Amino acid sequence: MVESHTFEVTSELGGRLDKALTKLLPEVSRSQLQRWIENGDVIVDGQMVKPRLKVKAGQVIQVTEPQPQKIDLTPENIPLEIVYEDRDVVVVNKPQGMVVHPAAGHPNHTLVNALLYHCPLSTINGELRPGIVHRIDKDTSGLLMVAKNDQAHQSLAAQLKAKTTAREYLALVHGVIKEGQGTIDAPLGRSPKDRKRQAIVANGRPAVTHFRVIERYAQYTLVACRLETGRTHQIRVHMKSINHPLAGDPLYGPRKTVPGNGQFLHARLLGFTHPVTGKRITLTVPLPPLFRGLIVKLRRQSGIKTVE
């Protein structure tokens, strides 16, 4: 049954529509309310509006709550590139374009669906994220470690928190970076201007990215990024903050960029201590074909200086 609400704006509720609705519907998150407004589920005086609309006393707001999308976590026989596996841990090379776990807009065909078909997973992260200790973005490729049981999950999560894991990414960025290496230490949080983006904000969570130049091209630079922290979109936001956004990035990059299906970012190295044996495991995977092909093309077009 579809639930709907009708409210008359009072003088105390004047201001931005999305802020007013957070007071009227406190059980609903502001980001969700903004999605409802953008999708046309909220109308003011019979008109579709924007979240930033300023409402006035006497106006009538009608909210029709959309039916929640049913997410059925079903094992799916999707091919996986398994780089390492034992009874406690599995490490996969995630392809670009694959979502890690089900969520609104991506109810199935995710890495978790594929993993559930392949092996048992830990239960710590709940129904929709079993086994998932850390994530990489849909359009980022590369290594991801997954826990098969709760003991392994607790150990791997503790290592991430203690910053004892090793995670290195290869990123193609716009512009030619003059320095050989550098560190970006800037806190990240949700952008106050666009809820879909992350941004450097004063009260954000600490985030540190170390980068070093691998190769320079005429208009681009290939860099290796080492993470101390693993915030959402960390490399993408940090590199943009120094005026070197990732090539192909639909959220943070310029419109004129290289052709592709998203940012050219690849998790090439992953190191961790095995949760049971205590052995240090370090794994690497090569660039995917599309990324590798672009690098070959840029090398042909540029008189490059190889740093290593």
Side-chain angles (χ1 to χ4, degrees):
M1 181 178 175
V2 176
E3 191 169 352
S4 60
H5 312 271
T6 301
F7 306 101
E8 183 173 342
V9 180
T10 62
S11 56
E12 295 82 18
L13 289 171
R16 279 183 57 131
L17 172 60
D18 53 354
K19 288 185 178 179
L21 284 174
T22 59
K23 298 174 184 176
L24 294 167
L25 297 168
E27 71 279 5
V28 184
S29 71
R30 187 172 168 187
S31 60
Q32 190 172 4
L33 288 167
Q34 288 174 331
R35 283 196 297 272
W36 290 358
I37 298 168
E38 289 164 357
N39 292 338
D41 299 314
V42 177
I43 59 175
V44 177
D45 290 343
Q47 300 291 321
M48 291 178 60
V49 290
K50 299 287 186 184
R52 62 178 177 273
L53 171 79
K54 290 189 176 179
V55 291
K56 300 174 183 176
Q59 289 185 304
V60 176
I61 304 172
Q62 291 177 288
V63 181
T64 303
E65 294 190 23
Q67 290 280 62
Q69 186 177 23
K70 189 173 186 292
I71 296 177
D72 186 15
L73 194 53
T74 305
E76 296 181 53
N77 188 7
I78 300 171
L80 289 170
E81 184 181 343
I82 296 172
V83 180
Y84 174 88
E85 184 176 17
D86 59 30
R87 61 187 294 178
D88 302 293
V89 181
V90 57
V91 179
V92 298
N93 184 12
K94 187 188 84 66
Q96 185 186 50
M98 176 180 266
V99 175
V100 171
H101 61 77
H106 299 283
N108 47 34
H109 310 319
T110 70
L111 179 65
V112 164
N113 294 104
L115 284 165
L116 283 172
Y117 186 89
H118 175 76
C119 64
L121 299 175
S122 76
T123 62
I124 287 177
N125 256 350
E127 250 181 60
L128 298 182
R129 293 186 290 167
I132 301 303
V133 183
H134 66 125
R135 290 174 285 177
I136 54 179
D137 297 333
K138 172 192 170 189
D139 291 329
T140 299
S141 58
L143 293 168
L144 194 77
M145 60 183 176
V146 180
K148 285 187 170 184
N149 55 62
D150 291 359
Q151 179 188 356
H153 196 127
Q154 289 168 342
S155 172
L156 295 174
Q159 291 178 52
L160 285 165
K161 188 174 182 180
K163 302 178 184 178
T164 58
T165 57
R167 287 173 290 166
E168 183 175 274
Y169 293 71
L170 289 178
L172 183 68
V173 301
H174 282 270
V176 180
I177 299 178
K178 295 178 182 179
E179 303 87 357
Q181 59 186 18
T183 295
I184 305 166
D185 185 348
L188 297 179
R190 198 176 293 277
S191 169
K193 296 179 181 178
D194 184 345
R195 305 293 290 176
K196 294 179 182 177
R197 298 175 185 235
Q198 299 293 305
I200 294 174
V201 291
N203 61 345
R205 301 174 72 190
V208 179
T209 304
H210 305 284
F211 70 88
R212 58 189 171 90
V213 170
I214 303 297
E215 284 183 344
R216 297 180 178 93
Y217 312 108
Q219 295 178 308
Y220 298 91
T221 305
L222 181 67
V223 295
C225 296
R226 284 254 180 179
L227 296 182
E228 272 194 32
T229 53
R231 309 303 179 205
T232 301
H233 300 175
Q234 178 173 320
I235 293 173
R236 298 163 68 184
V237 177
H238 271 177
M239 294 309 295
K240 182 187 178 183
S241 75
I242 62 169
N243 299 315
H244 293 287
L246 268 62
D249 193 328
L251 266 185
Y252 305 102
R255 290 188 178 181
K256 290 185 178 180
T257 187
V258 293
N261 301 310
Q263 64 275 1
F264 281 81
L265 181 62
H266 176 66
R268 68 166 293 271
L269 180 147
L270 176 66
F272 60 95
T273 299
H274 192 278
V276 175
T277 67
K279 180 183 176 183
R280 188 69 180 176
I281 295 172
T282 302
L283 305 163
T284 59
V285 286
L287 287 172
L290 182 66
F291 199 154
R292 189 166 60 247
L294 177 58
I295 295 302
V296 170
K297 182 180 178 182
L298 291 173
R299 283 174 176 160
R300 278 202 309 263
Q301 293 175 345
S302 309
I304 67 170
K305 178 182 178 182
T306 303
V307 175
E308 66 171 28

